[in-house]
Amino acid sequence: MRKTRLLLISLLFFFPICLIGQDWRDEILMSVNGENITAGEFARFYAKQSGEQNIDGYLEDFIIYKLKIADALNEKLDNSQGLKATVKGYRDQLAREYLIDKNTKEDLLRTGYDRLMTELHVWHILVQCPSNAMPADTMEAWMTATKIRDRIIKGELFETVAKGASDDPTVKSNGGDLGYLTAFQTTMPFENAAYSLPVGELSYPVRSADGYHIIKVTDKRPARGSVLVQHIMKALPAGHTEEENKEAEEEISNIYEKLKNGESFDELARTESDHKASASNGGRLDWFGVGETISEFAEAAFSISEPGDFSVPVKTPAGWHIIRLIDKKAPLTFDEARPYLESQLMQSSLLSIAREVLVDSLKKEYSYEVDPSSAQWFISNSDTLVTRGLAYYDMEKIPEGTLYSFADQRMSNGEFATFVKNRGPMVKTDDPVLFVDVMIEASTAERIVMYEDSRLENKYPEFRNLVDDFRDEILAFEISGQKMWEQGNNDTTGLKEFYEKNKGDYLSAKSVDAIIYTYRVKGGDKALSKAYNKFFRKDDGERLMSERLNTRNDTLLIIEKGTWKEGEKAGLDSIDWKRGTEKTTVNGYPVIIRISGVNRPEPLPFEDVREEMLERFTETIGNMWIEQLKTNYPVKVNDSVFEEIKRDI
């Protein structure tokens, strides 16, 4: 349900606020149905409130909250598989923050932000080499990349070499020029190399999953934020001829002249632009920053200084454009960028760095040890078939014993052999020492993190509190749904009885049935009164009044019939609401109002007030339920502890 999702999101980022000292937080504040509840739990509840009632009011709210939970437990809602799955999902998501090194993570976020605040103009050449290539093929690709780098070092133009040697399919159109980029827009090895390069220098071959890259950074500048623009485009086909380019350029130039002469950008975008995805919206695009669209387009867009101004025609590989600036945003602050940085970190290999730091720390904390003799047996029995995943250790020959241990955990030699078989080689090597070391590290990291995960509730009270509070919030929500909202919705008879008892609170507005004669001639009071007095009793009196007062095809007399409530019609609120005729003026014009009936407030029909009545009915059911809870589940409050809380808060 929507409320449940909102609850999960709000609690996921909530960490308890230490409002007061720790000396009384473990003291028992109250018991509900025999369950002791600490002062610290009330302090957490209080910290999450945003109202302005006094602390006694919050204590009453807390008691009601705990009574609902007691009722939910009595109904065994905590055994619901749906609730268990929801709580586990929240708990596992929260645990991710505890299963990496927080200081390392914070450093990585800061590094990512610093990079986001710096834009690099990057050139590159790619020598393809898949990540699963054989060692000989990998060496050949590296040597090819090294030779390419040497050619540029010796003086050949980067662009010329790129067009002849790069395996990047975009090189034909960009000559290896990637334009300006920022963080998280390339692979992490590529990004790390680019941000470490001084301007003008050439990298050594950089390995990524795609192959080897030769990278050159020709400029560094501060981030420019993002822009919102609209554009008009004349498209160019791939591999276009010079004649096609000239034709598109002439078309965009004609549009540019129309814009300079004051024609509407929105209208010309709708009728002239070849970019159909945006044309119907006046050429409007989504917000974008550097590296998120074609480089030439982005540079032109950012160069426009004032909203409303538009560029001269700009050529990109896709065609010709005129760009109009709508708005600009400055770069995000660190706090504003943090959610984005968090999401990128979770998706990148950088997170493994924070995990590795945690694992190293846990090894020390839990006295991790590897048995040298067991490790040596695996090294001695890891031939190239084993290291390449083509064969496995002979389970009958594996010696008994422990490969490594930590805390009260043991990894037997047999379990490790099974791990290697199930996981396969995690490094490409013919070196048995390296192979065994990597596999032991992988197994250790998995085991020690799982062990740490199992201890989070005991090790970190704030983690346990967050999970427990979330579970209780769900229980209170679910029991309220069953005992209040569902009952209110399903009890149609009770709702109608409630309506009959309370329909006097839902009355129609007072209104009048009237005819209003407005003569739009200032000073025409006598003429209007004379015509009205002469004709209003006649069957066709309104027609006769109109013929008398409306001359030369003018509509000076306006006659309105209807039912009006207070405030709905000028002039009505200035007279007494009673049957008969009244005279007044509106905006200086004479008005005669003949009231034929006054409608007193009456109860509105049931269907008209059903939703509002249902809300009150449900609230009434809830109040009755809470009174019943107070009878069913005894509550005892330790007043002295509460007074101590009040003094400190």
Side-chain angles (χ1 to χ4, degrees):
M1 288 184 288
R2 185 176 70 87
K3 289 184 179 179
T4 304
R5 292 197 297 271
L6 290 175
L7 176 62
L8 189 149
I9 292 169
S10 65
L11 280 176
L12 181 60
F13 296 103
F14 169 76
F15 285 84
I17 301 171
C18 292
L19 296 174
I20 45 229
Q22 296 291 322
D23 53 332
W24 54 262
R25 294 177 70 88
D26 293 329
E27 293 187 36
I28 303 303
L29 171 64
M30 67 174 71
S31 67
V32 176
N33 200 33
E35 179 188 352
N36 289 333
I37 298 165
T38 65
E41 188 172 351
F42 172 72
R44 298 198 305 274
F45 176 86
Y46 179 83
K48 289 186 285 185
Q49 309 309 310
S50 58
E52 296 182 356
Q53 63 178 325
N54 60 37
I55 192 169
D56 295 277
Y58 286 122
L59 178 64
E60 178 63 21
D61 290 346
F62 184 63
I63 291 171
I64 292 171
Y65 170 65
K66 299 304 291 188
L67 285 169
K68 290 180 179 180
I69 294 168
D71 203 32
L73 294 174
N74 185 60
E75 298 284 349
K76 302 189 183 307
L77 294 188
D78 55 322
N79 292 332
S80 161
Q81 293 303 313
L83 180 136
K84 288 181 178 179
T86 299
V87 174
K88 184 179 184 303
Y90 169 75
R91 188 256 180 217
D92 291 347
Q93 192 169 358
L94 183 66
R96 293 167 65 181
E97 293 294 320
Y98 287 79
L99 297 176
I100 58 175
D101 183 76
K102 291 181 173 59
N103 291 332
T104 304
K105 176 191 171 184
E106 200 65 24
D107 290 343
L108 292 171
L109 292 176
R110 284 288 176 183
T111 298
Y113 179 71
D114 290 343
R115 290 179 177 182
L116 276 179
M117 295 299 102
T118 304
E119 298 171 358
L120 307 181
H121 190 173
V122 179
W123 295 67
H124 99 127
I125 295 169
L126 170 67
V127 177
Q128 283 186 329
C129 181
S131 57
N132 60 353
M134 297 301 292
D137 295 331
T138 301
M139 177 59 71
E140 182 180 351
W142 179 83
M143 292 178 65
T144 299
T146 301
K147 292 176 182 177
I148 291 172
R149 181 179 185 276
D150 289 342
R151 289 171 58 189
I152 300 170
I153 293 293
K154 291 176 181 178
E156 291 190 55
L157 291 176
F158 193 104
E159 182 176 0
T160 302
V161 176
K163 286 184 175 179
S166 182
D167 293 327
D168 184 345
T170 67
V171 72
K172 294 179 180 178
S173 60
N174 64 22
D177 183 2
L178 300 181
Y180 281 90
L181 300 174
T182 189
F184 307 115
Q185 293 180 343
T186 63
T187 63
M188 197 50 59
F190 190 106
E191 179 182 312
N192 289 337
Y195 274 95
S196 66
L197 278 174
V199 172
E201 288 195 14
L202 205 62
S203 75
Y204 286 95
V206 177
R207 185 71 161 106
S208 77
D210 298 320
Y212 286 98
H213 306 264
I214 306 298
I215 305 170
K216 184 177 183 180
V217 174
T218 58
D219 187 31
K220 292 185 180 182
R221 69 186 183 195
R224 296 188 291 177
S226 56
V227 291
L228 181 66
V229 303
Q230 56 189 142
H231 78 134
I232 300 169
M233 174 184 178
K234 301 310 294 184
L236 287 171
H240 56 271
T241 64
E242 182 57 37
E243 183 177 345
E244 288 172 325
N245 178 64
K246 185 176 180 181
E247 182 180 348
E249 185 178 10
E250 289 177 354
E251 290 176 349
I252 203 75
S253 295
N254 290 335
I255 295 171
Y256 182 67
E257 290 301 319
K258 292 179 180 179
L259 290 171
K260 290 202 308 183
N261 290 330
E263 293 195 34
S264 166
F265 197 104
D266 288 48
E267 187 59 32
L268 286 171
R270 278 189 283 269
T271 58
E272 303 287 347
S273 181
D274 292 338
H275 189 241
K276 301 307 178 186
S278 66
S280 61
N281 194 28
R284 188 184 180 107
L285 302 174
D286 293 330
W287 286 93
F288 65 85
V290 69
E292 296 177 346
T293 189
I294 300 172
S295 178
E296 296 90 339
F297 189 95
E299 291 303 305
F302 276 102
S303 69
I304 305 172
S305 57
E306 295 295 330
D309 290 350
F310 52 84
S311 70
V312 299
V314 177
K315 187 182 181 185
T316 74
W320 286 89
H321 313 257
I322 301 172
I323 306 165
R324 181 175 181 269
L325 178 65
I326 300 174
D327 199 4
K328 284 185 178 181
K329 287 181 183 177
L332 300 175
T333 65
F334 178 75
D335 288 338
E336 291 170 339
R338 190 180 188 94
Y340 171 74
L341 293 167
E342 294 259 12
S343 67
Q344 292 299 316
L345 181 62
M346 291 299 178
Q347 298 172 32
S348 77
S349 59
L350 289 174
L351 190 64
S352 63
I353 299 173
R355 178 63 60 87
E356 289 169 6
V357 173
L358 175 73
V359 169
D360 288 342
S361 173
L362 293 177
K363 284 181 180 179
K364 296 176 182 177
E365 181 180 346
Y366 297 134
S367 302
Y368 172 81
E369 289 184 355
V370 176
D371 180 64
S373 61
S374 294
Q376 185 57 52
W377 186 92
F378 283 106
I379 292 171
S380 300
N381 288 271
S382 297
D383 57 24
T384 55
L385 292 177
V386 172
T387 63
R388 296 179 184 182
L390 302 175
Y392 308 108
Y393 300 115
D394 187 340
M395 299 298 289
E396 294 183 358
K397 295 181 179 179
I398 295 173
E400 292 187 4
T402 298
L403 176 60
Y404 63 79
S405 64
F406 61 89
D408 59 352
Q409 304 293 299
R410 300 286 185 273
M411 167 65 87
S412 71
N413 292 330
E415 288 174 321
F416 178 72
T418 301
F419 173 84
V420 173
K421 180 179 179 179
N422 291 339
R423 289 300 180 90
M426 304 184 76
V427 60
K428 291 187 176 297
T429 181
D430 291 336
D431 180 354
V433 175
L434 176 61
F435 174 78
V436 172
D437 283 348
V438 169
M439 297 306 293
I440 290 176
E441 282 300 311
S443 170
T444 298
E446 182 178 290
R447 278 289 185 98
I448 207 165
V449 169
M450 287 176 60
Y451 178 73
E452 180 72 356
D453 188 14
S454 71
R455 298 186 68 249
L456 291 178
E457 279 82 357
N458 292 328
K459 190 173 181 180
Y460 299 104
E462 75 276 9
F463 179 86
R464 180 182 66 250
N465 292 337
L466 283 168
V467 176
D468 289 347
D469 289 351
F470 179 75
R471 185 207 65 155
D472 287 351
E473 292 271 5
I474 296 294
L475 285 172
F477 178 85
E478 292 295 333
I479 195 68
S480 296
Q482 290 184 14
K483 296 297 180 73
M484 292 172 54
W485 306 318
E486 290 180 14
Q487 184 175 337
N489 277 310
N490 295 332
D491 189 1
T492 303
T493 300
L495 179 60
K496 288 184 177 178
E497 290 176 355
F498 186 79
Y499 166 76
E500 291 298 329
K501 292 179 181 178
N502 297 277
K503 62 185 179 182
D505 297 336
Y506 299 89
L507 301 177
S508 62
K510 183 180 179 181
S511 63
V512 291
D513 302 324
I515 303 177
I516 301 175
Y517 303 86
T518 303
Y519 188 39
R520 298 179 62 186
V521 175
K522 293 183 178 181
D525 307 60
K526 291 183 179 180
L528 175 60
S529 296
K530 186 176 181 180
Y532 175 78
N533 292 332
K534 184 174 182 178
F535 298 119
F536 85 93
R537 290 187 179 87
K538 297 183 180 295
D539 293 339
D540 58 348
E542 293 172 9
R543 179 183 63 79
L544 295 171
M545 286 181 66
S546 296
E547 290 177 354
R548 170 69 62 89
L549 299 175
N550 291 331
T551 59
R552 294 177 296 179
N553 297 320
D554 291 328
T555 307
L556 299 176
L557 177 65
I558 299 173
I559 302 174
E560 299 170 278
K561 297 180 181 179
T563 300
W564 289 279
K565 301 173 186 175
E566 290 181 340
E568 287 187 341
K569 191 65 180 175
L572 274 175
D573 293 342
S574 63
I575 65 172
D576 292 333
W577 283 19
K578 59 184 180 180
R579 291 172 61 89
T581 301
E582 293 281 349
K583 297 179 180 179
T584 186
T585 59
V586 176
N587 297 326
Y589 299 131
V591 176
I592 292 177
I593 302 173
R594 187 167 84 231
I595 296 177
S596 58
V598 178
N599 306 310
R600 304 298 175 186
E602 294 181 353
L604 293 168
F606 173 76
E607 290 302 329
D608 290 357
V609 297
R610 180 187 178 91
E611 291 304 315
E612 189 176 355
M613 189 70 70
L614 178 60
E615 186 174 342
R616 280 186 60 190
F617 181 53
T618 301
E619 183 180 348
T620 301
I621 292 174
N623 291 335
M624 294 170 59
W625 172 49
I626 289 168
E627 291 304 314
Q628 186 63 46
L629 292 180
K630 292 178 179 178
T631 301
N632 293 346
Y633 306 112
V635 177
K636 295 181 180 179
V637 177
N638 187 327
D639 293 330
S640 63
V641 173
F642 185 59
E643 289 301 318
E644 189 175 355
I645 296 173
K646 291 171 70 173
R647 284 195 301 271
D648 285 344
I649 293 180

